Amino acid sequence: MPPRSEHWSLVVAGGGPAGFMAAIAAAEAGQRRVLVLESTPEPLGKVLISGGGRCNVTHACWDPRELVGFYPRGGKALRGPFSRFAAGDAVSWFDDHGLTLVEEADGRMFPQANRSTAVIQCLRQAAERAGVTLRSSEALQQAGQGPTGGFELTLRSGTQLSADRLVLATGSHPSGRRLVSGLGHDLVAPVPSLFTLALKPNPLVGLAGVVMDPVDLELEAGGQRFRQSGPVLITHWGLSGPATLRLTAFAARALHGAGYRANLQVDWSGGRSLQQLEELFADCRRDQAKRQLSNARPWPGLSRRLWQHLLSQQGVEPDRRWADLAKRQQLGLLESLRRSRFPVAGRGPFGEEFVTAGGVPLGEVNLATMESRKVAGLYLVGELLDVDGVTGGFNFQHCWSSGWLAGQAIAAAGAN
């Protein structure tokens, strides 16, 4: 018996955030017979595990001109799409679909229920209400253009489909790159983004768990320099935390090209000038003259463990009093606070990178509709594109924006 054949107005390959948004937006705008294919047993897997199981849905950055600055790849090209559907629109969309988002102090926005399952439930219920059909454990294996338009599709199960329009929302999975390449698109080679840094040797290993905020980071890799500021977490292998992740996102390609070997300079003072630090030290000499250095930090926000580490590094006895601090020792401490230097010897050990840099070049996509400039009726959304954001909800925001734009355009095209 030949494989079963079906026809759909729209097939969405990939049941992640961008794919779900594209399918829902299209169906709610009037598109009928919409099918979402998800290769795993449960869709929206990345939503489930993101944000430590809380799902950082978006970021409270309301101006598209400012929003594009959080994308190492994509940047200014995204200003047009974000002018039509950005963070405020995503907040309103989820609110209209029964999910309230709450802004935290750092601008990240999470579901009020504080669990990612609430986001998944919202999306799945919206898809069901809109009449979207979901097939889990079913992947798109082959895609080709039909002889009279549309697409002829083969699923992993052997099922044959035809579709008027096709959305590829396969994220960074190699299968999606294979499919889009087979349809004639170029690809920017993917490399990891948003990862921690391994220091070898790691002189900070005894400080694992220490958090400093703010910290200024400057990375030199492959002849290029990158800077970021913000919270840094010291780990037993090196450095993590938001500032480190943002740094590696912007330096992703340079680090890859340099084999993840680089030089890192850390300003533990958070950008204080030499004069400001000298004044803090002078205040300590005057106001805490009799106190031991190990028990009296130059400013309250300086981690006690880090301060004691720097004292040891400079050969300063922990029981030495502030009044007895030698000029040579003070110069060494000031240098360590402002310009500690470490050799970077790789990424963190657990493969914790959450996104990749690379994908279909944006020049091959009409960013007003997310339709391919090479294949009529083909739409490309989410992480399959050469777009990635820093940590803080920005990658999800691009998924919501690109998916919504594609869905709206597909429904409008279907009505013509």
Side-chain angles (χ1 to χ4, degrees):
M1 180 179 294
R4 182 165 53 97
S5 181
E6 306 172 10
H7 178 76
W8 294 84
S9 296
L10 171 62
V11 170
V12 179
F20 257 77
M21 179 59 86
I24 295 167
E28 288 185 340
Q31 186 70 50
R32 296 292 177 259
R33 291 195 57 76
V34 177
L35 172 66
V36 175
L37 302 171
E38 168 54 35
S39 62
T40 67
E42 291 294 332
L44 299 164
K46 184 170 283 190
V47 170
L48 180 65
I49 64 175
S50 72
R54 300 169 60 211
C55 188
N56 182 183
V57 176
T58 187
H59 201 97
C61 181
W62 314 120
D63 188 343
R65 293 170 297 181
E66 181 183 351
L67 184 59
V68 297
F70 293 94
Y71 294 83
R73 264 69 51 183
K76 293 181 180 178
L78 293 174
R79 186 167 170 179
F82 285 155
S83 69
R84 295 188 58 203
F85 194 96
D89 302 291
V91 172
S92 296
W93 189 93
F94 278 103
D95 188 61
D96 290 343
H97 290 79
L99 184 74
T100 301
L101 301 181
V102 177
E103 179 184 350
E104 298 199 341
D106 60 2
R108 294 181 301 162
M109 302 198 72
F110 293 87
Q112 189 174 50
N114 211 30
R115 62 179 187 275
S116 57
T117 52
V119 183
I120 294 173
Q121 182 180 29
C122 172
L123 291 167
R124 294 199 64 164
Q125 287 180 347
E128 184 176 356
R129 285 195 299 266
V132 173
T133 299
L134 169 67
R135 289 185 186 168
S136 299
S137 300
E138 186 66 282
L140 179 59
Q141 191 75 22
Q142 296 179 4
Q145 294 178 267
T148 59
F151 299 88
E152 295 181 344
L153 311 174
T154 303
L155 307 189
R156 186 167 55 192
S157 63
T159 300
Q160 303 292 312
L161 306 180
S162 61
D164 297 327
R165 292 173 181 83
L166 173 64
V167 173
L168 292 183
T170 50
S172 60
H173 197 277
S175 65
R177 300 193 197 104
R178 176 181 54 80
L179 288 166
V180 77
S181 179
L183 288 165
H185 275 281
D186 297 322
L187 286 169
V188 178
V191 299
S193 181
L194 287 178
F195 49 86
T196 62
L197 292 173
L199 308 179
K200 293 181 181 179
N202 181 13
L204 305 176
V205 64
L207 301 179
V210 167
V211 176
M212 281 289 294
D213 181 22
V215 173
D216 288 356
L217 302 176
E218 180 176 316
L219 183 77
E220 190 280 321
Q224 300 181 62
R225 291 186 180 275
F226 304 87
R227 296 178 178 85
Q228 285 292 328
S229 181
V232 167
L233 166 67
I234 299 175
T235 70
H236 67 271
W237 66 84
L239 296 180
S240 184
T244 307
L245 295 176
R246 289 197 300 269
L247 184 73
T248 59
F250 281 93
R253 292 209 170 274
L255 281 166
H256 179 76
Y260 299 98
R261 298 297 187 269
N263 296 308
L264 181 67
Q265 180 174 291
V266 181
D267 180 355
W268 301 110
S269 78
R272 287 180 170 87
S273 67
L274 178 59
Q275 180 179 349
Q276 288 173 318
L277 288 176
E278 288 176 337
E279 289 173 355
L280 287 172
F281 273 54
D283 291 343
C284 288
R285 284 180 179 277
R286 182 185 66 248
D287 301 333
Q288 306 190 67
K290 295 183 178 180
R291 294 192 64 187
Q292 294 180 352
L293 281 147
S294 61
N295 296 326
R297 294 160 286 171
W299 69 92
L302 176 59
S303 160
R304 185 181 302 277
R305 289 171 62 193
L306 176 61
W307 173 237
Q308 292 173 347
H309 168 82
L310 296 178
L311 290 173
S312 174
Q313 184 186 58
Q314 293 301 319
V316 180
E317 304 90 330
D319 58 354
R320 180 178 286 265
R321 301 182 306 167
W322 269 102
D324 300 327
L325 180 64
K327 183 177 181 180
R328 171 184 55 80
Q329 294 173 321
Q330 175 167 318
L331 290 174
L333 288 170
L334 292 173
E335 179 69 11
S336 292
L337 284 167
R338 296 183 69 228
R339 286 192 287 267
S340 287
R341 294 177 174 86
F342 305 98
V344 174
R347 308 198 304 273
F350 303 124
E352 62 284 283
E353 58 268 5
F354 200 50
V355 299
T356 56
V360 176
L362 296 186
E364 298 185 3
V365 179
N366 179 349
L367 296 180
T369 63
M370 310 314 296
E371 185 174 13
S372 163
R373 295 186 184 277
K374 295 192 171 188
V375 182
L378 174 65
Y379 296 79
L380 310 174
V381 297
E383 200 179 341
L384 180 61
L385 297 168
D386 187 22
V387 173
D388 62 287
V390 300
T391 184
F394 298 102
N395 286 294
F396 275 142
Q397 180 56 52
H398 172 247
C399 290
W400 312 133
S401 295
S402 60
W404 186 87
L405 287 170
Q408 292 288 307
I410 289 166
N416 294 333

Short mmCIF file of all heavy atoms in Angstrom, two decimals, residues 349-410:
data_model
loop_
_atom_site.label_atom_id
_atom_site.label_comp_id
_atom_site.label_asym_id
_atom_site.label_seq_id
_atom_site.Cartn_x
_atom_site.Cartn_y
_atom_site.Cartn_z
N PRO A 349 32.53 23.47 31.13
CA PRO A 349 32.61 22.03 30.86
C PRO A 349 31.31 21.31 30.57
O PRO A 349 31.32 20.16 30.19
CB PRO A 349 33.22 21.50 32.17
CG PRO A 349 32.72 22.44 33.22
CD PRO A 349 32.69 23.78 32.55
N PHE A 350 30.16 21.97 30.74
CA PHE A 350 28.91 21.22 30.69
C PHE A 350 28.08 21.46 29.45
O PHE A 350 26.94 21.07 29.38
CB PHE A 350 28.06 21.54 31.93
CG PHE A 350 28.79 21.26 33.21
CD1 PHE A 350 28.95 22.25 34.14
CD2 PHE A 350 29.33 20.01 33.45
CE1 PHE A 350 29.64 22.00 35.33
CE2 PHE A 350 30.01 19.75 34.63
CZ PHE A 350 30.17 20.75 35.57
N GLY A 351 28.64 22.16 28.45
CA GLY A 351 27.89 22.42 27.23
C GLY A 351 26.63 23.22 27.51
O GLY A 351 25.57 22.97 26.96
N GLU A 352 26.75 24.23 28.40
CA GLU A 352 25.57 24.95 28.83
C GLU A 352 25.11 26.00 27.85
O GLU A 352 24.14 26.69 28.09
CB GLU A 352 25.79 25.60 30.20
CG GLU A 352 26.90 26.66 30.26
CD GLU A 352 28.28 26.06 30.25
OE1 GLU A 352 28.72 25.56 31.26
OE2 GLU A 352 28.92 26.11 29.18
N GLU A 353 25.80 26.14 26.71
CA GLU A 353 25.35 27.14 25.76
C GLU A 353 23.92 26.81 25.30
O GLU A 353 23.59 25.67 25.03
CB GLU A 353 26.28 27.24 24.54
CG GLU A 353 26.48 25.96 23.77
CD GLU A 353 27.67 25.15 24.24
OE1 GLU A 353 28.30 25.53 25.23
OE2 GLU A 353 27.96 24.12 23.61
N PHE A 354 23.10 27.84 25.24
CA PHE A 354 21.67 27.65 25.03
C PHE A 354 21.25 28.02 23.62
O PHE A 354 20.20 27.62 23.15
CB PHE A 354 20.91 28.50 26.05
CG PHE A 354 19.50 28.06 26.27
CD1 PHE A 354 19.19 26.74 26.54
CD2 PHE A 354 18.47 28.98 26.22
CE1 PHE A 354 17.89 26.34 26.76
CE2 PHE A 354 17.16 28.58 26.44
CZ PHE A 354 16.87 27.26 26.71
N VAL A 355 22.05 28.80 22.92
CA VAL A 355 21.73 29.21 21.56
C VAL A 355 23.00 29.10 20.72
O VAL A 355 24.10 28.91 21.24
CB VAL A 355 21.19 30.66 21.50
CG1 VAL A 355 19.92 30.80 22.30
CG2 VAL A 355 22.24 31.64 21.99
N THR A 356 22.80 29.21 19.41
CA THR A 356 23.95 29.21 18.52
C THR A 356 23.92 30.46 17.66
O THR A 356 22.87 31.06 17.42
CB THR A 356 23.94 27.98 17.59
OG1 THR A 356 22.70 27.96 16.88
CG2 THR A 356 24.10 26.70 18.37
N ALA A 357 25.11 30.87 17.24
CA ALA A 357 25.25 31.96 16.28
C ALA A 357 25.40 31.33 14.91
O ALA A 357 26.27 30.50 14.69
CB ALA A 357 26.48 32.81 16.62
N GLY A 358 24.56 31.73 13.97
CA GLY A 358 24.61 31.17 12.62
C GLY A 358 23.23 30.84 12.12
O GLY A 358 22.23 30.97 12.83
N GLY A 359 23.15 30.44 10.86
CA GLY A 359 21.87 30.11 10.26
C GLY A 359 21.71 30.78 8.91
O GLY A 359 22.69 31.20 8.28
N VAL A 360 20.47 30.92 8.47
CA VAL A 360 20.19 31.52 7.17
C VAL A 360 20.48 33.03 7.23
O VAL A 360 19.99 33.71 8.13
CB VAL A 360 18.72 31.29 6.77
CG1 VAL A 360 18.40 32.01 5.45
CG2 VAL A 360 18.43 29.81 6.66
N PRO A 361 21.27 33.56 6.31
CA PRO A 361 21.55 35.00 6.31
C PRO A 361 20.26 35.81 6.18
O PRO A 361 19.36 35.46 5.41
CB PRO A 361 22.45 35.20 5.08
CG PRO A 361 23.02 33.84 4.79
CD PRO A 361 21.97 32.86 5.22
N LEU A 362 20.18 36.91 6.91
CA LEU A 362 18.95 37.70 6.91
C LEU A 362 18.67 38.32 5.56
O LEU A 362 17.51 38.62 5.24
CB LEU A 362 19.03 38.78 8.00
CG LEU A 362 19.10 38.28 9.44
CD1 LEU A 362 19.02 39.44 10.41
CD2 LEU A 362 18.01 37.27 9.72
N GLY A 363 19.70 38.52 4.74
CA GLY A 363 19.48 39.08 3.42
C GLY A 363 18.68 38.18 2.50
O GLY A 363 18.16 38.63 1.48
N GLU A 364 18.54 36.90 2.87
CA GLU A 364 17.78 35.96 2.05
C GLU A 364 16.33 35.84 2.47
O GLU A 364 15.59 35.01 1.97
CB GLU A 364 18.45 34.57 2.10
CG GLU A 364 19.87 34.57 1.52
CD GLU A 364 20.47 33.18 1.46
OE1 GLU A 364 19.77 32.21 1.80
OE2 GLU A 364 21.64 33.07 1.07
N VAL A 365 15.92 36.71 3.42
CA VAL A 365 14.56 36.66 3.95
C VAL A 365 13.95 38.06 3.91
O VAL A 365 14.62 39.05 4.23
CB VAL A 365 14.56 36.14 5.41
CG1 VAL A 365 13.15 36.11 5.99
CG2 VAL A 365 15.18 34.76 5.48
N ASN A 366 12.69 38.15 3.51
CA ASN A 366 11.95 39.40 3.61
C ASN A 366 11.52 39.57 5.07
O ASN A 366 10.60 38.90 5.53
CB ASN A 366 10.73 39.36 2.69
CG ASN A 366 9.89 40.63 2.77
OD1 ASN A 366 10.09 41.47 3.64
ND2 ASN A 366 8.93 40.76 1.86
N LEU A 367 12.18 40.45 5.79
CA LEU A 367 11.96 40.53 7.23
C LEU A 367 10.62 41.16 7.59
O LEU A 367 10.23 41.15 8.76
CB LEU A 367 13.10 41.29 7.89
CG LEU A 367 14.47 40.61 7.80
CD1 LEU A 367 15.54 41.45 8.50
CD2 LEU A 367 14.42 39.21 8.39
N ALA A 368 9.90 41.70 6.62
CA ALA A 368 8.56 42.22 6.89
C ALA A 368 7.55 41.08 7.00
O ALA A 368 6.53 41.21 7.68
CB ALA A 368 8.13 43.19 5.80
N THR A 369 7.85 39.95 6.33
CA THR A 369 6.93 38.82 6.31
C THR A 369 7.57 37.51 6.73
O THR A 369 6.86 36.53 6.95
CB THR A 369 6.37 38.62 4.89
OG1 THR A 369 7.47 38.30 4.01
CG2 THR A 369 5.68 39.88 4.38
N MET A 370 8.88 37.46 6.83
CA MET A 370 9.68 36.28 7.11
C MET A 370 9.62 35.26 5.97
O MET A 370 9.98 34.09 6.14
CB MET A 370 9.28 35.61 8.43
CG MET A 370 9.21 36.55 9.63
SD MET A 370 10.66 37.68 9.78
CE MET A 370 11.98 36.51 10.06
N GLU A 371 9.18 35.69 4.79
CA GLU A 371 9.15 34.79 3.63
C GLU A 371 10.51 34.76 2.95
O GLU A 371 11.20 35.78 2.83
CB GLU A 371 8.10 35.22 2.63
CG GLU A 371 7.94 34.24 1.46
CD GLU A 371 6.79 34.59 0.53
OE1 GLU A 371 6.26 35.72 0.64
OE2 GLU A 371 6.43 33.73 -0.30
N SER A 372 10.90 33.60 2.51
CA SER A 372 12.14 33.43 1.77
C SER A 372 12.13 34.29 0.50
O SER A 372 11.10 34.40 -0.18
CB SER A 372 12.31 31.95 1.39
OG SER A 372 13.28 31.80 0.37
N ARG A 373 13.27 34.90 0.22
CA ARG A 373 13.42 35.62 -1.05
C ARG A 373 13.76 34.67 -2.19
O ARG A 373 13.80 35.07 -3.35
CB ARG A 373 14.49 36.69 -0.92
CG ARG A 373 14.16 37.81 0.08
CD ARG A 373 15.21 38.91 0.03
NE ARG A 373 14.98 39.94 1.03
CZ ARG A 373 14.14 40.98 0.88
NH1 ARG A 373 13.45 41.10 -0.25
NH2 ARG A 373 14.00 41.88 1.83
N LYS A 374 14.03 33.41 -1.87
CA LYS A 374 14.44 32.44 -2.88
C LYS A 374 13.34 31.45 -3.24
O LYS A 374 13.32 30.93 -4.36
CB LYS A 374 15.68 31.67 -2.39
CG LYS A 374 16.92 32.54 -2.23
CD LYS A 374 18.16 31.69 -2.04
CE LYS A 374 19.43 32.54 -2.10
NZ LYS A 374 20.65 31.70 -2.11
N VAL A 375 12.45 31.17 -2.29
CA VAL A 375 11.42 30.16 -2.52
C VAL A 375 10.07 30.74 -2.09
O VAL A 375 9.85 30.99 -0.90
CB VAL A 375 11.70 28.86 -1.73
CG1 VAL A 375 10.64 27.82 -2.02
CG2 VAL A 375 13.09 28.33 -2.05
N ALA A 376 9.18 30.94 -3.03
CA ALA A 376 7.86 31.47 -2.71
C ALA A 376 7.10 30.50 -1.82
O ALA A 376 7.11 29.28 -2.04
CB ALA A 376 7.07 31.71 -3.99
N GLY A 377 6.47 31.06 -0.78
CA GLY A 377 5.67 30.24 0.12
C GLY A 377 6.44 29.60 1.25
O GLY A 377 5.86 28.92 2.10
N LEU A 378 7.76 29.81 1.29
CA LEU A 378 8.59 29.27 2.37
C LEU A 378 8.89 30.39 3.37
O LEU A 378 9.33 31.48 2.98
CB LEU A 378 9.90 28.73 1.81
CG LEU A 378 10.95 28.26 2.83
CD1 LEU A 378 10.44 27.05 3.62
CD2 LEU A 378 12.28 27.94 2.14
N TYR A 379 8.67 30.11 4.64
CA TYR A 379 8.87 31.11 5.69
C TYR A 379 9.87 30.55 6.70
O TYR A 379 9.80 29.37 7.07
CB TYR A 379 7.54 31.45 6.38
CG TYR A 379 6.55 32.11 5.43
CD1 TYR A 379 5.82 31.34 4.53
CD2 TYR A 379 6.37 33.48 5.45
CE1 TYR A 379 4.92 31.93 3.65
CE2 TYR A 379 5.46 34.09 4.57
CZ TYR A 379 4.74 33.31 3.67
OH TYR A 379 3.87 33.90 2.80
N LEU A 380 10.78 31.41 7.14
CA LEU A 380 11.86 30.99 8.04
C LEU A 380 11.80 31.84 9.30
O LEU A 380 11.81 33.07 9.24
CB LEU A 380 13.22 31.16 7.35
CG LEU A 380 13.32 30.53 5.95
CD1 LEU A 380 14.65 30.88 5.30
CD2 LEU A 380 13.12 29.03 6.02
N VAL A 381 11.75 31.18 10.46
CA VAL A 381 11.56 31.91 11.72
C VAL A 381 12.47 31.35 12.81
O VAL A 381 12.99 30.23 12.72
CB VAL A 381 10.09 31.83 12.19
CG1 VAL A 381 9.17 32.50 11.19
CG2 VAL A 381 9.66 30.39 12.43
N GLY A 382 12.64 32.15 13.86
CA GLY A 382 13.35 31.70 15.05
C GLY A 382 14.84 31.51 14.85
O GLY A 382 15.49 32.20 14.05
N GLU A 383 15.38 30.54 15.55
CA GLU A 383 16.83 30.35 15.62
C GLU A 383 17.42 29.76 14.34
O GLU A 383 18.64 29.70 14.20
CB GLU A 383 17.17 29.47 16.82
CG GLU A 383 18.61 29.59 17.27
CD GLU A 383 18.92 28.73 18.48
OE1 GLU A 383 17.98 28.31 19.18
OE2 GLU A 383 20.12 28.47 18.72
N LEU A 384 16.59 29.34 13.40
CA LEU A 384 17.10 28.89 12.11
C LEU A 384 17.78 30.04 11.36
O LEU A 384 18.66 29.82 10.53
CB LEU A 384 15.96 28.32 11.27
CG LEU A 384 16.30 27.80 9.87
CD1 LEU A 384 17.31 26.65 9.95
CD2 LEU A 384 15.04 27.34 9.15
N LEU A 385 17.37 31.27 11.68
CA LEU A 385 17.97 32.45 11.06
C LEU A 385 19.27 32.82 11.77
O LEU A 385 19.51 32.43 12.91
CB LEU A 385 16.99 33.62 11.14
CG LEU A 385 15.67 33.44 10.39
CD1 LEU A 385 14.70 34.54 10.78
CD2 LEU A 385 15.91 33.43 8.89
N ASP A 386 20.10 33.59 11.08
CA ASP A 386 21.36 34.06 11.67
C ASP A 386 21.08 35.24 12.59
O ASP A 386 21.45 36.39 12.34
CB ASP A 386 22.34 34.46 10.57
CG ASP A 386 23.72 34.80 11.14
OD1 ASP A 386 24.04 34.33 12.26
OD2 ASP A 386 24.47 35.54 10.47
N VAL A 387 20.37 34.93 13.67
CA VAL A 387 20.00 35.90 14.70
C VAL A 387 20.18 35.24 16.05
O VAL A 387 19.76 34.10 16.25
CB VAL A 387 18.52 36.34 14.57
CG1 VAL A 387 18.12 37.22 15.77
CG2 VAL A 387 18.28 37.09 13.27
N ASP A 388 20.82 35.92 16.97
CA ASP A 388 20.84 35.44 18.35
C ASP A 388 20.99 36.61 19.29
O ASP A 388 21.63 37.61 18.97
CB ASP A 388 21.94 34.40 18.58
CG ASP A 388 23.33 34.94 18.35
OD1 ASP A 388 23.70 35.15 17.17
OD2 ASP A 388 24.06 35.17 19.33
N GLY A 389 20.34 36.51 20.43
CA GLY A 389 20.37 37.57 21.42
C GLY A 389 21.14 37.15 22.66
O GLY A 389 21.48 35.99 22.85
N VAL A 390 21.40 38.13 23.51
CA VAL A 390 22.05 37.84 24.78
C VAL A 390 21.01 37.26 25.74
O VAL A 390 19.82 37.19 25.44
CB VAL A 390 22.69 39.11 25.39
CG1 VAL A 390 23.73 39.68 24.43
CG2 VAL A 390 21.64 40.18 25.70
N THR A 391 21.47 36.82 26.89
CA THR A 391 20.58 36.26 27.89
C THR A 391 19.64 37.34 28.45
O THR A 391 20.00 38.50 28.52
CB THR A 391 21.40 35.61 29.02
OG1 THR A 391 20.50 34.99 29.94
CG2 THR A 391 22.23 36.63 29.76
N GLY A 392 18.44 36.92 28.83
CA GLY A 392 17.50 37.87 29.41
C GLY A 392 16.15 37.90 28.73
O GLY A 392 15.38 38.83 28.93
N GLY A 393 15.83 36.90 27.91
CA GLY A 393 14.54 36.85 27.24
C GLY A 393 14.57 37.32 25.80
O GLY A 393 13.54 37.30 25.11
N PHE A 394 15.74 37.73 25.30
CA PHE A 394 15.82 38.32 23.97
C PHE A 394 15.70 37.27 22.86
O PHE A 394 15.14 37.56 21.80
CB PHE A 394 17.13 39.10 23.83
CG PHE A 394 17.22 40.25 24.80
CD1 PHE A 394 17.99 40.16 25.94
CD2 PHE A 394 16.49 41.40 24.57
CE1 PHE A 394 18.05 41.20 26.84
CE2 PHE A 394 16.54 42.47 25.48
CZ PHE A 394 17.32 42.36 26.61
N ASN A 395 16.20 36.06 23.08
CA ASN A 395 16.06 35.03 22.06
C ASN A 395 14.61 34.60 21.90
O ASN A 395 14.13 34.40 20.78
CB ASN A 395 16.96 33.84 22.38
CG ASN A 395 18.42 34.15 22.12
OD1 ASN A 395 18.83 34.35 20.99
ND2 ASN A 395 19.21 34.24 23.19
N PHE A 396 13.90 34.48 23.00
CA PHE A 396 12.48 34.18 22.89
C PHE A 396 11.73 35.32 22.19
O PHE A 396 10.81 35.08 21.41
CB PHE A 396 11.87 33.93 24.28
CG PHE A 396 12.04 32.51 24.76
CD1 PHE A 396 12.30 32.24 26.09
CD2 PHE A 396 11.93 31.44 23.89
CE1 PHE A 396 12.45 30.95 26.54
CE2 PHE A 396 12.07 30.13 24.33
CZ PHE A 396 12.34 29.88 25.66
N GLN A 397 12.11 36.56 22.48
CA GLN A 397 11.42 37.68 21.86
C GLN A 397 11.53 37.61 20.33
O GLN A 397 10.56 37.86 19.61
CB GLN A 397 11.96 39.02 22.35
CG GLN A 397 11.27 40.22 21.72
CD GLN A 397 9.77 40.20 21.92
OE1 GLN A 397 9.30 40.06 23.05
NE2 GLN A 397 9.00 40.34 20.84
N HIS A 398 12.71 37.25 19.83
CA HIS A 398 12.85 37.11 18.38
C HIS A 398 11.95 35.99 17.86
O HIS A 398 11.39 36.09 16.76
CB HIS A 398 14.30 36.84 17.99
CG HIS A 398 14.46 36.50 16.54
ND1 HIS A 398 14.86 35.25 16.11
CD2 HIS A 398 14.24 37.24 15.43
CE1 HIS A 398 14.87 35.25 14.78
NE2 HIS A 398 14.51 36.43 14.36
N CYS A 399 11.80 34.91 18.63
CA CYS A 399 10.89 33.83 18.22
C CYS A 399 9.45 34.33 18.13
O CYS A 399 8.75 34.05 17.15
CB CYS A 399 10.98 32.67 19.20
SG CYS A 399 12.53 31.75 19.15
N TRP A 400 9.01 35.07 19.16
CA TRP A 400 7.63 35.58 19.13
C TRP A 400 7.45 36.53 17.94
O TRP A 400 6.44 36.45 17.23
CB TRP A 400 7.28 36.32 20.42
CG TRP A 400 7.62 35.63 21.70
CD1 TRP A 400 8.25 36.18 22.78
CD2 TRP A 400 7.34 34.27 22.08
NE1 TRP A 400 8.40 35.26 23.79
CE2 TRP A 400 7.85 34.07 23.40
CE3 TRP A 400 6.74 33.19 21.44
CZ2 TRP A 400 7.76 32.86 24.07
CZ3 TRP A 400 6.65 31.98 22.10
CH2 TRP A 400 7.15 31.81 23.39
N SER A 401 8.42 37.43 17.73
CA SER A 401 8.29 38.42 16.67
C SER A 401 8.28 37.78 15.29
O SER A 401 7.40 38.05 14.47
CB SER A 401 9.43 39.44 16.76
OG SER A 401 9.36 40.19 17.96
N SER A 402 9.28 36.93 15.02
CA SER A 402 9.37 36.33 13.69
C SER A 402 8.20 35.39 13.43
O SER A 402 7.65 35.34 12.32
CB SER A 402 10.70 35.60 13.53
OG SER A 402 10.87 34.57 14.48
N GLY A 403 7.77 34.64 14.45
CA GLY A 403 6.63 33.75 14.28
C GLY A 403 5.35 34.51 14.01
O GLY A 403 4.56 34.14 13.12
N TRP A 404 5.12 35.58 14.75
CA TRP A 404 3.90 36.38 14.57
C TRP A 404 3.86 37.01 13.19
O TRP A 404 2.84 36.98 12.50
CB TRP A 404 3.81 37.45 15.65
CG TRP A 404 2.51 38.22 15.62
CD1 TRP A 404 1.34 37.89 16.24
CD2 TRP A 404 2.27 39.45 14.94
NE1 TRP A 404 0.38 38.84 15.99
CE2 TRP A 404 0.92 39.81 15.19
CE3 TRP A 404 3.04 40.29 14.14
CZ2 TRP A 404 0.34 40.97 14.68
CZ3 TRP A 404 2.46 41.44 13.61
CH2 TRP A 404 1.13 41.77 13.88
N LEU A 405 4.98 37.58 12.76
CA LEU A 405 5.04 38.21 11.44
C LEU A 405 4.77 37.19 10.34
O LEU A 405 4.03 37.46 9.38
CB LEU A 405 6.40 38.86 11.23
CG LEU A 405 6.66 40.15 12.01
CD1 LEU A 405 8.12 40.55 11.89
CD2 LEU A 405 5.76 41.27 11.52
N ALA A 406 5.37 36.00 10.46
CA ALA A 406 5.14 34.96 9.46
C ALA A 406 3.67 34.54 9.43
O ALA A 406 3.07 34.41 8.36
CB ALA A 406 6.03 33.75 9.74
N GLY A 407 3.10 34.32 10.61
CA GLY A 407 1.69 33.90 10.67
C GLY A 407 0.75 34.91 10.05
O GLY A 407 -0.16 34.55 9.30
N GLN A 408 0.98 36.19 10.36
CA GLN A 408 0.14 37.25 9.79
C GLN A 408 0.27 37.29 8.27
O GLN A 408 -0.73 37.41 7.54
CB GLN A 408 0.55 38.60 10.38
CG GLN A 408 0.24 38.76 11.84
CD GLN A 408 -1.24 38.92 12.11
OE1 GLN A 408 -1.90 39.77 11.54
NE2 GLN A 408 -1.78 38.08 12.98
N ALA A 409 1.49 37.19 7.78
CA ALA A 409 1.73 37.26 6.33
C ALA A 409 1.11 36.06 5.61
O ALA A 409 0.55 36.19 4.51
CB ALA A 409 3.23 37.33 6.05
N ILE A 410 1.21 34.88 6.22
CA ILE A 410 0.65 33.67 5.60
C ILE A 410 -0.86 33.77 5.50
O ILE A 410 -1.47 33.45 4.46
CB ILE A 410 1.08 32.43 6.41
CG1 ILE A 410 2.57 32.17 6.22
CG2 ILE A 410 0.25 31.22 6.02
CD1 ILE A 410 3.15 31.20 7.22
#
